[in-house]
Amino acid sequence: MMRSNARLPGHGGSGYRGDQDVEGPGAPRRVSGRQARVPAPHCAALTVLVLALLGCGRTAENTKNVAKQPVIGVSMMNLSNEFIVMLNREMEARAKQLGVRLIVNDAERSAEKQIQQVESFAAQRVDAIILNPCEVEASSPAVDRALADGIPIVNVNSETRSAPSAFVGSHDEEAARIAIEYIAKRLGGKGNLVMMHGFMGQAAQIKRDRGAREALRKYPGLILIADQTAEWDRAKAMTLMENWIQSYGEKINAVFAQNDEMAMGALMAIEQAKLRDKIVTVGVDSIADALEAVKAGRLDATVFQDARGQAAAAVETAVKLIHKQPVDREVYIPFQLVTKENVARYLK
Amino acid sequence: MTEAPVLGMGLGMPSRLRRLGPRVGLAAALVLLFAALSLARPNFLTVANLINLVRQISINGILAVGVTFVLLTGGVDLSLGSLVALTGVAAASFAHPGQFPVIVPVAIGILAGAACGVLNGVVVTRGRVAPFIATLGMMTAARGLALLISEGKPVSNLRGSFTVIGSGQVWGVPVPVLVLCLVALAASVVLRKFRMGRYLYAVGGNQSAARASGVRVNRVKMFAYTLCGALAGLAGVVLAARITTGQPNAGAGYELDAIAAAVIGGTSLSGGTGGAGGTVLGALLMGVINNGLDLLNVPSYYQQIVKGVIIVGAVWMDRSRQNK
């Protein structure tokens, strides 16, 4: 609670980096210094810390001219995830161009935290909210709360059960379908496939699984011989792939990993087993590492999820809603297949 | 150990039998699992898979040996997973091609881990903060620092001489396995042959008695936390080398796996009993379960249930044997 309150005011336009100033070098030093000899040093230290954090925030706000600038509260599902960080950066960039101020909070994968953040946005009377939901069901109360307070809310990247003012994102099923179709093409519609799931039960995992299975139905010659979760994690994916290679060896013709982190992990296991030429590896997301690997001819393909497109559309939609202009209720940003032939376009 | 009769009395000092006990029970569980898996899957008991298996447990093994020292003093270290991420990112940041000799990133990883360990130790001893809370704070802060210095992105493009630590082999033995063996051996020697080792058991067995017999309790605890941090740093380096990136979100939950391995291996959560050998066996058991379930292609949901049951079952089997 202390943390989220403290980080709100000072946030300016600098994105989640604003934290660094608040929690970094400045505040703790004040605590350990003179205050230590007060009778109840712990309480005093804590109080000073809180005041220092609030102080940092307030001065930052005063120095900035925020008089009539519209403010959008943003709750991101997880700023430890590379793709979400990218999405956040692109939102900051677009907001700067449009002259709106973003207050960015990190829900750290917790839907409960996300609801609290939206509640505090509502209390601050922000002009609009952009929500990057953690969970389909559990984040829905956040949407309901914003709408009940008459604050327009835009969901970006993933959905909630409650309908927001507008949704901007991509169909995760489509990403999986594109990947499976690519694999089918490479294998001539015949072969054995293994699939790595993300965190079981998360929306992206469920949808990418569904999309893959729907696509597989079109190719009776493609057999899914094993599927297992590696929890979006590179190290876990490497271990899983090593075990699969032990188990199935050269029977495996292709790997579909539901994200690039796992694809990179699988790729390392495949390369170490010297099976690179025998196994087609495909991921989703187009993170920087994966794009480099596609360029180097190591990874066969990744599916590009357009962070910039989603971020820009979300901010634009929110701004239109603030100005009471008409918007599309659903904006879909298409996925794109990235292979060695077109990878140059995606590398910055 | 025999040369310290004063400390031995009533300090929860493990007799040879009790220290052997867990390993016998555990070894039985391992043999059982091995037999069952070999029957179910012919490719389980192959040299390639066994090497594969030991390589997979190396990171958890290194962490588990480290946390064994802290557990022996009656403490706990929850910051391991975050330290793995932080030290991995720190090491990777200095391991780009043509930057520094490979010893630099390795040293930076280990020293960063040790520094966090020192901080944990200071908060626990000087600040008298409960180890659970002290290291919980470190867990959160270290994760934040890892994200901060990496800007939330994986640190990639690492030089070959660094990634060899994760993927290379020496005489057919993977380097991570070699590292684990050296760590376990050294830890075992410290615990059995060095005075510090005896002090660790003494502090965990009965802190006031240890203090009364002249053991500098705080110094012993500092040693345990620092060593644990340094080993977390080593594990961070090995992981970064293995996955060829420093990942700020790596290592989530590793601390629980490490503590579980130590406890399965006979180290007591309340301190005073346990050892490095048992811990490595514990890590091996967890690795076998993981590897076996993958080979059997058990669906994800069932895997989690089976893992939970086997972990508790192994410890139960072990303890009931001990009580007889």
Side-chain angles (χ1 to χ4, degrees):
Chain A
M1 213 43 212
M2 181 184 89
R3 187 166 171 226
S4 58
N5 278 341
R7 65 200 302 186
L8 293 181
H11 230 282
S14 64
Y16 83 117
R17 254 178 225 200
D19 291 355
Q20 298 170 6
D21 309 326
V22 178
E23 292 177 357
R29 222 181 290 136
R30 288 199 211 176
V31 177
S32 56
R34 255 154 267 149
Q35 295 298 331
R37 253 154 275 146
V38 177
H42 305 81
C43 294
L46 210 62
T47 316
V48 172
L49 179 66
V50 172
L51 289 177
L53 290 170
L54 289 175
C56 287
R58 200 157 301 142
T59 44
E61 198 172 33
N62 287 344
T63 51
K64 269 206 179 82
N65 186 7
V66 290
K68 282 279 175 271
Q69 206 179 23
V71 175
I72 301 176
V74 181
S75 173
M76 303 299 285
M77 71 160 90
N78 177 20
L79 285 175
S80 312
N81 174 300
E82 194 186 356
F83 179 81
I84 303 296
V85 170
M86 212 150 74
L87 192 66
N88 182 38
R89 292 214 178 119
E90 298 294 347
M91 280 170 41
E92 295 283 1
R94 191 74 186 112
K96 209 169 195 175
Q97 289 166 0
L98 295 176
V100 293
R101 191 163 76 92
L102 300 187
I103 301 173
V104 181
N105 285 357
D106 180 3
E108 298 171 35
R109 281 206 181 135
S110 155
E112 191 217 349
K113 209 171 271 181
Q114 192 147 51
I115 295 168
Q116 287 171 9
Q117 288 168 353
V118 168
E119 282 169 352
S120 84
F121 288 147
Q124 292 174 78
R125 303 300 312 161
V126 296
D127 300 295
I129 293 171
I130 295 177
L131 184 71
N132 170 218
C134 298
E135 310 272 350
V136 176
E137 288 291 333
S139 295
S140 285
V143 174
D144 298 336
R145 172 67 207 262
L147 293 175
D149 279 31
I151 301 172
I153 181 162
V154 179
N155 282 1
V156 64
N157 181 254
S158 44
E159 295 165 43
T160 56
R161 183 183 37 77
S162 298
S165 316
F167 169 81
V168 177
S170 307
H171 288 298
D172 272 304
E173 289 93 341
E174 189 195 348
R177 184 177 53 72
I178 290 173
I180 296 291
E181 277 170 1
Y182 172 77
I183 288 172
K185 207 176 88 191
R186 283 287 304 272
L187 299 180
K190 247 185 16 219
N192 294 321
L193 171 79
V194 293
M195 173 160 69
M196 288 190 181
H197 293 277
F199 227 96
M200 299 303 280
Q202 279 185 356
Q205 180 268 326
I206 294 170
K207 289 181 177 176
R208 288 176 188 183
D209 180 47
R210 190 191 299 150
R213 285 174 201 274
E214 277 166 13
L216 278 172
R217 237 173 271 143
K218 282 188 286 176
Y219 303 98
L222 265 189
I223 317 277
L224 184 65
I225 54 172
D227 63 306
Q228 190 59 252
T229 181
E231 299 178 356
W232 307 123
D233 184 276
R234 195 178 292 213
K236 288 201 174 109
M238 191 176 176
T239 298
L240 177 59
M241 195 65 216
E242 286 168 353
N243 289 345
W244 273 341
I245 289 173
Q246 283 306 319
S247 201
Y248 301 102
E250 300 195 3
K251 271 196 278 179
I252 302 173
N253 305 116
V255 183
F256 169 49
Q258 290 179 357
N259 79 347
D260 279 342
E261 288 287 351
M262 296 192 293
M264 294 303 293
L267 184 62
M268 277 182 285
I270 291 168
E271 285 177 340
Q272 273 177 23
K274 308 213 162 41
L275 291 172
R276 173 66 199 96
D277 301 329
K278 302 204 167 69
I279 299 179
V280 177
T281 314
V282 182
V284 177
D285 283 347
S286 296
I287 63 172
D289 270 8
L291 290 174
E292 287 296 340
V294 170
K295 188 182 166 203
R298 296 172 57 215
L299 188 66
D300 292 279
T302 172
V303 181
F304 177 71
Q305 181 169 193
D306 189 355
R308 176 175 295 176
Q310 291 187 8
V315 175
E316 285 157 16
T317 305
V319 170
K320 276 186 196 161
L321 285 166
I322 290 173
H323 297 121
K324 308 251 181 320
Q325 290 162 351
V327 295
D328 292 328
R329 288 296 299 264
E330 289 181 341
V331 183
Y332 284 105
I333 311 291
F335 280 101
Q336 294 152 35
L337 182 72
V338 183
T339 60
K340 203 171 179 188
E341 283 72 46
N342 65 353
V343 67
R345 264 200 286 148
Y346 299 92
L347 278 163
K348 266 169 227 156
Chain B
M1 221 153 250
T2 41
E3 50 195 23
V6 185
L7 288 180
M9 281 194 309
L11 294 186
M13 167 104 119
S15 70
R16 277 199 188 275
L17 216 157
R18 260 182 83 197
R19 268 175 54 205
L20 261 172
R23 296 193 209 170
V24 175
L26 199 59
L30 264 171
V31 168
L32 227 87
L33 261 175
F34 261 81
L37 284 167
S38 314
L39 283 177
R41 278 274 161 179
N43 47 17
F44 176 76
L45 210 59
T46 58
V47 176
N49 189 48
L50 292 183
I51 287 179
N52 179 27
L53 176 69
V54 189
R55 188 177 50 213
Q56 290 173 359
I57 69 153
S58 51
I59 287 160
N60 186 28
I62 295 168
L63 290 172
V65 168
V67 83
T68 299
F69 281 79
V70 171
L71 292 175
L72 281 177
T73 69
V76 71
D77 192 341
L78 298 180
S79 63
L80 293 177
S82 296
L83 291 190
V84 165
L86 174 61
T87 57
V89 165
S93 307
F94 290 87
H96 299 305
Q99 212 179 9
F100 300 99
V102 69
I103 186 73
V104 173
V106 173
I108 282 179
I110 295 172
L111 287 177
C116 295
V118 167
L119 211 59
N120 276 335
V122 168
V123 176
V124 168
T125 55
R126 290 282 184 82
R128 291 206 220 131
V129 175
F132 186 97
I133 297 300
T135 58
L136 184 74
M138 178 58 79
M139 166 177 157
T140 312
R143 176 74 61 189
L145 195 57
L147 287 163
L148 188 68
I149 59 179
S150 64
E151 299 179 325
K153 293 181 301 190
V155 181
S156 50
N157 183 25
L158 308 185
R159 60 189 302 158
S161 56
F162 180 78
T163 54
V164 152
I165 301 168
S167 54
Q169 297 192 340
V170 180
W171 305 304
V173 182
V175 177
V177 176
L178 223 56
V179 174
L180 171 62
C181 289
L182 288 177
V183 164
L185 209 68
S188 214
V189 168
V190 168
L191 287 177
R192 284 157 177 243
K193 305 284 179 209
F194 281 61
R195 201 184 298 163
M196 183 52 91
R198 295 200 303 273
Y199 288 171
L200 282 162
Y201 286 101
V203 168
N206 184 337
Q207 191 167 313
S208 356
R211 187 172 283 127
S213 7
V215 175
R216 296 162 105 161
V217 171
N218 281 358
R219 191 174 287 187
V220 173
K221 286 188 179 172
M222 282 299 298
F223 171 77
Y225 283 98
T226 308
L227 187 66
C228 184
L231 287 179
L234 183 61
V237 168
V238 173
L239 180 68
R242 179 163 147 82
I243 60 177
T244 67
T245 41
Q247 296 266 26
N249 50 8
Y254 281 24
E255 59 281 343
L256 294 182
D257 281 350
I259 293 168
V263 172
I264 291 172
T267 299
S268 162
L269 274 175
S270 46
T273 31
T279 295
V280 173
L281 278 187
L284 194 60
L285 181 80
M286 293 179 71
V288 171
I289 298 171
N290 216 357
N291 176 268
L293 292 178
D294 276 354
L295 290 194
L296 291 171
N297 197 22
V298 176
S300 300
Y301 302 147
Y302 292 103
Q303 276 212 11
Q304 299 186 14
I305 297 170
V306 173
K307 270 183 210 167
V309 170
I310 294 185
I311 287 172
V312 174
V315 176
W316 192 337
M317 197 168 123
D318 203 58
R319 298 302 185 266
S320 60
R321 230 193 120 276
Q322 250 178 33
N323 292 340
K324 268 178 206 159

